[in-house]
Amino acid sequence: MIQEAAASSQTMRRSESAEVVVEARNLSKVYRDFWGRSKKTALKPLDLDIRRGEIFGLLGPNGAGKTTTLKLLLGLIFPTSGEALVFGRPATDVSKNERIGYLPEESYLYKFLDAEETLDFYGRLFGMSPEERRRRAAALIEMVGLSRDRKRQLREYSKGMTRRIGVAQALINDPELVILDEPTSGLDPIGTREMKDLIIDLKSRGKTVIMCSHLLADVEDVCDRIAVLHQGELKELGRVEELLRVTGVTQIRATGLSPAATAELKAVLERHGAADIEIGNPRSTLEDLFLEVVRDTEARPGRRARRPAGASDATRTG
Amino acid sequence: MVLEEQIPQFTAWIGPALLRYAAAASISLLIAAILAWLVQAIANGPLAAGDRVYRGLLAGLADVSLPSPRRVWALARLAIQESLRRNVLVVLALFALIILFAGWFLDPASVDPGRLYIGFILSATNLLVCLVTLVLSVFSLPADIKSRTIQTVTTKPVRTSEIVLGRMLGFAAVGTCLLALMGLAGWAFVVRSVSHGHTLEAEDVFEATDGDGAPAGAEGRTSRDRGHRHRVILDAGGSGIAETTQGHRHQVSVSGTTATGEKTFAVGPAIGLLEARRPLRGTLRFLDRDGRPATKGISVGSEWAYRQYIEGGSAAAAIWTFEGVSPGDFSEGLPLEMTVRVFRTYKGDIEEGIHGTVQIRNPTSGLRSESLPIVAREFTIDSLLIPRRINTVLANGELQEVDLFDDLASDGRIEVWLQCLEPAQYYGVAQADFYLRAGDGSFALNYAKSCVGIWFCMLLVTALGVMFSTFLSGPVALLATIATLMIGQFREFIARLFESQVTGDATIVPGGGPIESLYRIVTQTSITMELDPTPAVSAMKLVDTILLAPMRIAAGIFPSLSSLGTSDFVAGGFDIPGDLLGAHACETLGYVLAFFVAGVFCLKAREVAS
């Protein structure tokens, strides 16, 4: 039994290493002006492997080279040196795009088309049959919550709606690799939550996701592995939980503790020589609070939101 | 109509044309490859540059071959949607407005209203359709690149060739629809504007008598409609014709009698308007005033050497030789149609035409017919039916009736001799001015053929616009397209100018190249005056030659829109020859293909997302 498990984990590891979806070898990019003089080194030589089924985050401040990396992987720009392979093919080979979905930074879509026409157009580019296009477009519009606005031209859409239809077009071909550039930019907290859920859902369906963002919370919530870029250079690369684990500090969480039990716990800890003991109620995030309020308002329209449980009486609403 | 060059037979034309095309394509490809290598060599060194150019060439050729029809259609459809949402149909309203203005301001009383209306409507259609597709095609792709929408397209499995071809086809489809609608509306407008009738009242008809006072039918004049009226000649029975005015005539017949016993007349629809003549054309040679063969006629000082002149009252003659004349095609006789210009050295009676003769001659046996009198009236096509039975002049001066085809055109060849009878007056003719009317095509079909010519222009403009838009921004692409078309328009002039510059023969094109022209303008030196051969002038001429060389190369390969135009044929009432249409179709296809390939390579070499 143990032998079997070991064998299967070995196979898994081998298949994991064999299933590198994206490979960057010494990949670099220097932007030049018209006369060929170098203007900006956007990406210093980068080596990167992204494996099937993981959510990979590219992190960094503005101008760190995140979008440049994505564009190099997509073949939208050509590398100054090195090479990028996607599904084992050069990034400039268009046939790789059959299995890729890409959401650019600002959902660059045709403003004169409506949601249905947009998805129909992109579906045609994949050579999908009319029935398949219709089915897929309807499902995606439903998924991103634009059913009521599907006949409106995109020029009338708000930023969040444009983002949603952008996601829908990225998923039209049911891609194996989804590349998302700032997926949560322009979205309200609900949209952000839904986007993060969607990314996790994609992973659960075996897709590989590469996203870049400077919104750290988003990256932290969904990514398995991250790469931190700064000034075009790779500064950090690894699994999120490993990178964020604070060694030397122990955290205990519990519910239903009485004040006496808390004091006893503290005493036990002190007895064992623990220093900097901190016992109190954890803070929720503003995101959780906001989502709670919105859900409550939708459940009981016309009334002020009830504060979530655990809030002080002084601020409780009646 | 003016036909400066003979229309070659398609089968004879296509072979050498394909060879020239292949040569031009290879040279262009070679030049492009060398330029690409040079640019790459500066950045990456010569070896890496060679490798990149080679790989780029292979990738480009792979991209160009066999684009997916489905994706091309998707992109073409997008281009159509884009055009429609940009309210391209407004141009139809503009066209309607143009038609309205044409209806108000074009003069139906002009010498040749058919030519005026057809010429105007076809030009307006051509201009509008080409302008619309030009604007659509040059701004679309740069807008996509600027708004970065292209990124969502190129990250799908779409080849560059499909993006370029989809755009070209989409805008061409929009242009085709516009052209079809404008063509139909224009045709209806021309037909309705030009068609007319007259009435002939009994009080306008007078009995005519011959020289002996015997009754010889009747004469009269029709009512005045659309700015003109016709002189009517009737036979004793009361039927006849309303004579040619404004290039057309009407048939007149008796329609009945009134209660008082007077005849009433019916005037038929216009004959000779909106025609599509199918001419059998011949070759022209001249005899000088002493009857000796000459390569040219006399120049009367007209700068345009299209027409050559023959002197009146002398042995000078213009002789057309027609081949393939058979009784099967001309059972009634030879319908000779002619346009004869007149150059007068004295005014004479300006209302009267200049008299001359036409003779038919067998080129093999030398047998010639008697002289048939003609009167040259300017600006109209005169017709003369040469009958099957015709008198010939024997050596002793006697006349003998012979058969036209058996005796004068025995081997299918026949000569037509034109001579002017009045001393010190001149006839001016060109090869295309005399022809045998072998038949008639349908005017509607001919108009449609002319629209096909406009369609070729539209395709060329669209392809050129899309090609430039793959590597230039919208406004620059617009300028580049217009500049290319301008160079194409003046390609013959540029070729002659360059020849003049290189050979130093100022008679070909006087005035020199751009710098010399500027110098002449500033110093107010006439273009006919030779400049002193100082070192400065030599240097100026050298710079001009260097400037003109690339223009000369461009003029050799750029398309000329006006050479694709066939509206002259329709306006002049001639059927557009199939040979010409076929040649134009091939020419257009050749250019579109070249622009497509160039566009793909340019877009492929470009980082669309930088």
Side-chain angles (χ1 to χ4, degrees):
Chain A
M1 193 72 182
I2 295 168
Q3 271 176 342
E4 229 178 87
S8 89
S9 95
Q10 220 170 22
T11 331
M12 257 180 75
R13 222 172 303 140
R14 207 178 304 130
S15 76
E16 228 179 52
S17 63
E19 286 205 89
V20 170
V21 174
V22 173
E23 226 179 318
R25 294 278 161 266
N26 206 21
L27 190 65
S28 76
K29 178 69 187 172
V30 179
Y31 286 112
R32 297 178 190 278
D33 66 3
F34 180 79
W35 304 107
R37 294 175 301 192
S38 72
K39 221 165 59 178
K40 183 178 187 288
T41 306
L43 189 66
K44 291 177 186 160
L46 173 76
D47 285 291
L48 202 64
D49 281 346
I50 298 169
R51 296 186 192 91
R52 181 176 298 280
E54 70 175 347
I55 304 179
F56 190 88
L58 278 169
L59 209 61
N62 292 332
K66 307 184 295 285
T67 301
T68 299
T69 309
L70 293 190
K71 283 179 180 172
L72 284 167
L73 296 182
L74 285 161
L76 284 171
I77 51 176
F78 311 138
T80 307
S81 70
E83 62 171 355
L85 298 176
V86 181
F87 297 117
R89 290 187 203 150
T92 45
D93 182 353
V94 292
S95 62
K96 72 171 194 314
N97 294 345
E98 296 272 5
R99 297 152 75 186
I100 294 183
Y102 171 55
L103 171 70
E105 217 168 335
E106 279 178 37
S107 307
Y108 307 119
L109 300 168
Y110 291 98
K111 300 263 185 273
F112 53 83
L113 297 179
D114 64 32
E116 274 182 348
E117 288 168 340
T118 301
L119 296 186
D120 184 68
F121 167 64
Y122 289 108
R124 280 169 190 271
L125 295 186
F126 283 101
M128 289 159 68
S129 67
E131 306 89 70
E132 199 184 349
R133 286 201 304 267
R134 253 196 305 279
R135 193 175 48 75
R136 200 86 196 119
L140 284 168
I141 287 174
E142 179 70 37
M143 187 193 89
V144 297
L146 287 173
S147 301
R148 281 197 307 173
D149 303 297
R150 64 180 197 278
K151 292 282 182 202
R152 281 170 67 192
Q153 284 188 24
L154 300 196
R155 69 173 91 248
E156 299 168 9
Y157 273 24
S158 71
K159 195 169 179 197
M161 290 161 82
T162 315
R163 210 71 196 133
R164 286 157 192 266
I165 190 68
V167 173
Q169 69 79 26
L171 299 179
I172 187 81
N173 56 327
D174 194 18
E176 288 169 45
L177 170 65
V178 186
I179 298 180
L180 306 167
D181 195 348
E182 305 281 357
T184 54
S185 84
L187 291 179
D188 60 17
I190 304 170
T192 306
R193 186 68 256 166
E194 285 170 359
M195 175 66 82
K196 287 196 270 191
D197 290 344
L198 172 72
I199 293 170
I200 292 165
D201 178 53
L202 286 172
K203 175 190 159 72
S204 72
R205 289 196 280 135
K207 318 281 184 198
T208 312
V209 180
I210 305 174
M211 59 179 276
C212 77
S213 181
H214 52 254
L215 300 173
L216 307 180
D218 298 345
V219 176
E220 186 187 338
D221 285 352
V222 296
C223 290
D224 298 321
R225 282 204 308 149
I226 54 167
V228 181
L229 291 169
H230 185 233
Q231 293 179 343
E233 209 168 354
L234 182 66
K235 296 291 185 190
E236 193 76 68
L237 175 71
R239 303 198 71 78
V240 175
E241 63 261 38
E242 283 164 16
L243 291 174
L244 298 187
R245 182 178 299 146
V246 184
T247 48
V249 177
T250 309
Q251 194 178 4
I252 298 168
R253 285 174 81 110
T255 53
L257 274 188
S258 65
T262 311
E264 197 183 329
L265 199 56
K266 192 174 177 189
V268 171
L269 289 173
E270 277 168 351
R271 207 167 52 237
H272 285 277
D276 300 332
I277 299 168
E278 211 178 275
I279 291 184
N281 291 350
R283 275 173 67 111
S284 172
T285 59
L286 200 50
E287 184 186 345
D288 289 340
L289 172 71
F290 182 87
L291 292 176
E292 188 71 31
V293 170
V294 171
R295 260 180 231 129
D296 190 64
T297 314
E298 278 172 2
R300 309 185 310 136
R303 306 182 62 173
R304 284 188 73 178
R306 255 194 331 224
R307 282 299 309 273
S312 76
D313 282 344
T315 54
R316 188 188 289 272
T317 54
Chain B
M1 69 170 287
V2 171
L3 203 63
E4 289 196 64
E5 281 169 17
Q6 253 186 308
I7 300 162
Q9 274 203 318
F10 182 74
T11 44
W13 173 85
I14 186 76
L18 277 176
L19 276 182
R20 275 202 308 277
Y21 184 72
S26 321
I27 293 169
S28 305
L29 201 65
L30 194 69
I31 292 174
I34 291 171
L35 281 179
W37 180 81
L38 279 176
V39 171
Q40 285 289 330
I42 294 167
N44 305 304
L47 278 181
D51 180 51
R52 282 190 182 209
V53 169
Y54 174 70
R55 278 193 298 167
L57 204 63
L58 286 189
L61 288 177
D63 198 309
V64 166
S65 59
L66 292 178
S68 140
R70 221 175 222 192
R71 285 195 290 266
V72 169
W73 166 235
L75 288 155
R77 211 168 154 270
L78 181 82
I80 296 170
Q81 276 172 317
E82 181 188 347
S83 312
L84 293 179
R85 308 262 154 102
R86 276 191 184 178
N87 296 326
V88 73
L89 296 180
V90 169
V91 78
L92 289 177
L94 190 66
F95 185 69
L97 206 66
I98 288 177
I99 285 190
L100 282 180
F101 274 96
W104 289 329
F105 292 113
L106 290 186
D107 182 14
S110 65
V111 178
D112 191 348
R115 173 182 286 270
L116 183 70
Y117 279 84
I118 295 169
F120 179 80
I121 285 296
L122 284 177
S123 309
T125 308
N126 198 348
L127 187 75
L128 271 184
V129 170
C130 287
L131 213 60
V132 167
T133 51
L134 171 66
V135 170
L136 285 176
S137 60
V138 293
F139 285 108
S140 170
L141 201 53
D144 260 24
I145 292 172
K146 202 174 169 193
S147 71
R148 306 182 189 186
T149 328
I150 193 91
Q151 293 184 20
T152 51
V153 176
T154 48
T155 48
K156 305 284 182 279
V158 176
R159 290 201 219 157
T160 311
S161 58
E162 290 156 358
I163 295 178
V164 175
L165 190 61
R167 282 262 173 347
M168 286 181 178
L169 290 182
F171 295 130
V174 173
T176 308
C177 290
L178 287 178
L179 176 61
L181 292 171
M182 287 186 194
L184 269 178
W187 178 75
F189 171 72
V190 167
V191 170
R192 284 186 62 88
S193 304
V194 171
S195 311
H196 66 279
H198 297 272
T199 53
L200 179 61
E201 301 296 337
E203 63 250 34
D204 289 331
V205 179
F206 308 96
E207 294 295 326
T209 51
D210 63 10
D212 306 328
E219 273 181 36
R221 58 183 196 175
T222 64
S223 61
R224 191 175 184 82
D225 292 286
R226 292 199 180 252
H228 69 278
R229 61 179 8 143
H230 299 260
R231 180 166 169 251
V232 179
I233 309 277
L234 301 174
D235 61 18
S239 54
I241 57 155
E243 284 189 328
T244 301
T245 309
Q246 286 194 349
H248 69 279
R249 59 188 196 281
H250 299 264
Q251 205 81 45
V252 180
S253 57
V254 177
S255 60
T257 47
T258 59
T260 53
E262 279 184 338
K263 284 176 184 164
T264 56
F265 299 95
V267 182
I271 303 166
L273 271 181
L274 308 185
E275 292 186 301
R277 305 180 188 90
R278 288 212 184 103
L280 175 72
R281 295 190 190 278
T283 51
L284 174 63
R285 65 192 171 93
F286 290 94
L287 297 183
D288 69 9
R289 55 174 305 155
D290 301 319
R292 287 187 304 254
T295 50
K296 285 176 171 181
I298 293 168
S299 166
V300 293
S302 168
E303 283 176 32
W304 189 31
Y306 175 64
R307 287 202 168 81
Q308 299 286 319
Y309 286 76
I310 51 172
E311 192 182 341
S314 73
I319 304 162
W320 283 264
T321 310
F322 296 98
E323 296 190 358
V325 179
S326 68
D329 296 335
F330 302 100
S331 54
E332 303 284 307
L334 292 181
L336 179 67
E337 302 215 331
M338 49 209 170
T339 312
V340 182
R341 287 279 184 277
V342 171
F343 178 76
R344 295 169 189 252
T345 54
Y346 63 93
K347 189 176 165 193
D349 182 357
I350 204 76
E351 293 289 319
E352 269 289 304
I354 301 291
H355 293 265
T357 59
V358 164
Q359 272 187 321
I360 308 299
R361 181 175 174 272
N362 184 330
T364 318
S365 68
L367 184 68
R368 59 169 70 202
S369 74
E370 63 175 332
S371 297
L372 306 167
I374 62 155
V375 179
R377 276 185 289 261
E378 291 250 34
F379 309 113
T380 55
I381 296 176
D382 292 310
S383 54
L384 179 70
L385 181 70
I386 296 160
R388 284 289 297 260
R389 305 295 301 170
I390 188 169
N391 284 327
T392 51
V393 188
L394 298 178
N396 57 12
E398 281 180 21
L399 295 179
Q400 185 192 14
E401 196 181 75
V402 296
D403 184 82
L404 186 64
F405 293 105
D406 293 343
D407 300 307
L408 288 173
S410 46
D411 56 353
R413 289 167 73 231
I414 200 167
E415 277 182 4
V416 174
W417 288 50
L418 171 74
Q419 282 178 302
C420 177
L421 288 180
E422 298 185 27
Q425 307 288 40
Y426 293 79
Y427 275 171
V429 285
Q431 186 161 288
D433 284 345
F434 271 50
Y435 57 89
L436 299 174
R437 189 167 181 171
D440 277 82
S442 135
F443 171 73
L445 190 66
N446 205 31
Y447 190 90
K449 281 197 225 169
S450 186
C451 286
V452 170
I454 297 177
W455 189 67
F456 292 152
C457 291
M458 185 272 295
L459 287 183
L460 252 179
V461 168
T462 310
L464 191 60
V466 170
M467 191 266 278
F468 277 121
S469 76
T470 57
F471 62 98
L472 297 172
S473 70
V476 183
L478 182 70
L479 283 180
T481 310
I482 292 174
T484 305
L485 295 175
M486 289 297 263
I487 290 182
Q489 191 67 31
F490 296 108
R491 60 185 181 183
E492 276 151 28
F493 171 75
I494 293 172
R496 279 187 294 124
L497 182 59
F498 185 71
E499 189 192 339
S500 159
Q501 197 71 19
V502 171
T503 57
D505 180 1
T507 55
I508 304 173
V509 176
I515 308 273
E516 189 180 330
S517 302
L518 185 69
Y519 173 77
R520 283 178 187 273
I521 290 170
V522 172
T523 57
Q524 299 193 339
T525 314
S526 156
I527 56 166
T528 51
M529 214 167 92
E530 280 282 325
L531 296 176
D532 294 332
T534 60
V537 167
S538 306
M540 184 169 71
K541 283 182 187 287
L542 183 69
V543 173
D544 267 347
T545 310
I546 294 168
L547 284 177
L548 278 170
M551 281 176 77
R552 173 66 189 87
I553 295 170
I557 54 173
F558 285 3
S560 156
L561 285 192
S562 63
S563 79
L564 290 180
T566 43
S567 63
D568 267 2
F569 281 88
V570 189
F574 288 93
D575 193 43
I576 299 169
D579 286 327
L580 190 69
L581 216 57
H584 285 177
C586 290
E587 204 178 319
T588 308
L589 185 71
Y591 275 118
V592 168
L593 195 67
F595 294 150
F596 163 63
V597 173
V600 171
F601 273 89
C602 291
L603 189 59
K604 215 169 163 50
R606 187 177 177 186
E607 291 184 322
V608 288
S610 62

